Amino acid sequence: MSLLPLLLVVIYGLCLLFILCFSGGQWQLTRLALRAYAAPPLPRPPVPAAWPRVTVQLPLYNEQNVVERVIDAAAALDYPPELLHIQVLDDSTDATVALAAERVAYHIARGRRLSHVRRPSREGYKAGALRHGLAASDGEFIAIFDADFVPAPDFLRRTIPFFLQDENIGVVQTRWGHLNQAESLLTRLQAFGLDAHFLIEQVGRTFAGFFINFNGTGGVWRRRCIANAGGWHTDTLTEDLDLSYRAQLRGWRFVYRPEIVVPAELPAAMDALKSQQFRWTKGGAETARKHLGALWRSAQPLVVKLQGTFHLLNSSVYVVILLMALLSVPLVFVREHYPEYKLVFRLASVFLVGFAPLVYYYYTAWRLAWPTGKARFYPGFFLLFLSVSMGLALHNARAVALGWLGQRTPFVRTPKAGPGGRGPRRYRTGGVGPWEVLEGLLALYFGFGFGAGLYFGDAGLLPFHLLLTVGFAAICYYSGRHAR
């Protein structure tokens, strides 16, 4: 028995086992979310006799396409003006500065309390800006909105009362909506994936008492919670996930309210999507590296530790997917030329049922997002979503590897086009480079694996290779198209 084919089979089998465990976690969260939705709705907290002071922070960096919209939305919040302070945390180096200054002055003249905060440097990126603004604020509660978010006027009146019924609540997080979901296939695919996170994962984790995360925007912090957890750190690209785990490890409770929706703009171009994905996946790996040990040393129940581990390792699944994909092509030849492994491959096929919970997870999310059936669930659309997600495996696996290795990289903003998608896209995050070329070569590589399966009459890996070929080809195509 040759050692190399055996090694390929063993590593591939371990990857399948990881996917099975990951999918099992998603199945558990889906069941928990459905139980949460079936439970009697919690009563709305009473309107307080006296409202507390609130600071709204708007971190900005070169957001000329959306800066006026987010400042106007914050200024339109229905809250006692004498208790509301809006901080425009502006690290911009372009026309955003003048646009922000004009809108701040406009609302100040109409009785609103706003501050246009400019730092001497962009040190610490978003986390540094939030920390800098916090030192100059007096709010007992801190609401945060990224530049592309548009909170409704009643946002604070719907979220602040939750804090006032329990002093141990540190965060109230709300659900993201989508301003431009229908703009393109790319935005529809993103909305599909984000809905699963906000309608299943966050709901299921909250219902079971697992750790959840502040999503970086569209939520409110208790100031005392931020301070007690150590404040905003700048050593990861996901300062939100980092502070969330530090706070919950210190005993703070997080509340998630899916019925409160804050619409936001989805990245409409591949370079923008990739910059966002890089931050999320690399930051997730950095946070896992930072907190996994503390999580397992804590006094949390075992089930909380297990779910927290999969939560922190969410982004690392891309490394496993990429490794599986790369190994799958030589395995076509192993299956053909080493008949002694046929039983092993038959046993391994059992692990493919690990993908079934993912179908259940995403189908349930779609049903919750469209309860009236206004949008039909197309199996082809779901397969395309899986395919494009696989196509991002190289890009995201690289980000995860950099995160686990502790290599520092800058915080690259996600370009936003603004209302109607008509704003100038002058903020490039990168064009076609060697990694995009490699994605194209991988599309050919998996196409070769698909052809080899057809040639040998072996259908076992044909669906996998077809999804990979389409996914990597789509990522390569959009990268080139949007670089123009």
Side-chain angles (χ1 to χ4, degrees), residues 93-122:
T93 58
D94 67 352
T96 304
V97 179
L99 292 171
E102 189 276 329
R103 296 316 294 169
V104 167
Y106 174 86
H107 291 293
I108 288 176
R110 282 153 182 79
R112 287 293 192 177
R113 183 185 172 204
L114 286 86
S115 301
H116 189 195
V117 182
R118 300 277 294 153
R119 296 191 295 160
S121 73
R122 201 186 169 208

Side-chain angles (χ1 to χ4, degrees), residues 14-36:
L14 290 174
C15 290
L16 280 176
L17 181 61
F18 181 90
I19 294 295
L20 180 63
C21 293
F22 176 80
S23 298
Q26 300 303 90
W27 178 86
Q28 181 192 27
L29 290 176
T30 306
R31 298 302 302 168
L32 289 168
L34 289 175
R35 286 175 57 191

Side-chain angles (χ1 to χ4, degrees), residues 1-10 334 337-345 347:
M1 185 177 287
S2 177
L3 180 60
L4 182 58
L6 177 62
L7 185 62
L8 290 175
V9 170
V10 169
V334 171
H337 297 293
Y338 294 87
E340 62 267 31
Y341 290 112
K342 282 189 177 179
L343 178 60
V344 176
F345 282 112
L347 291 173

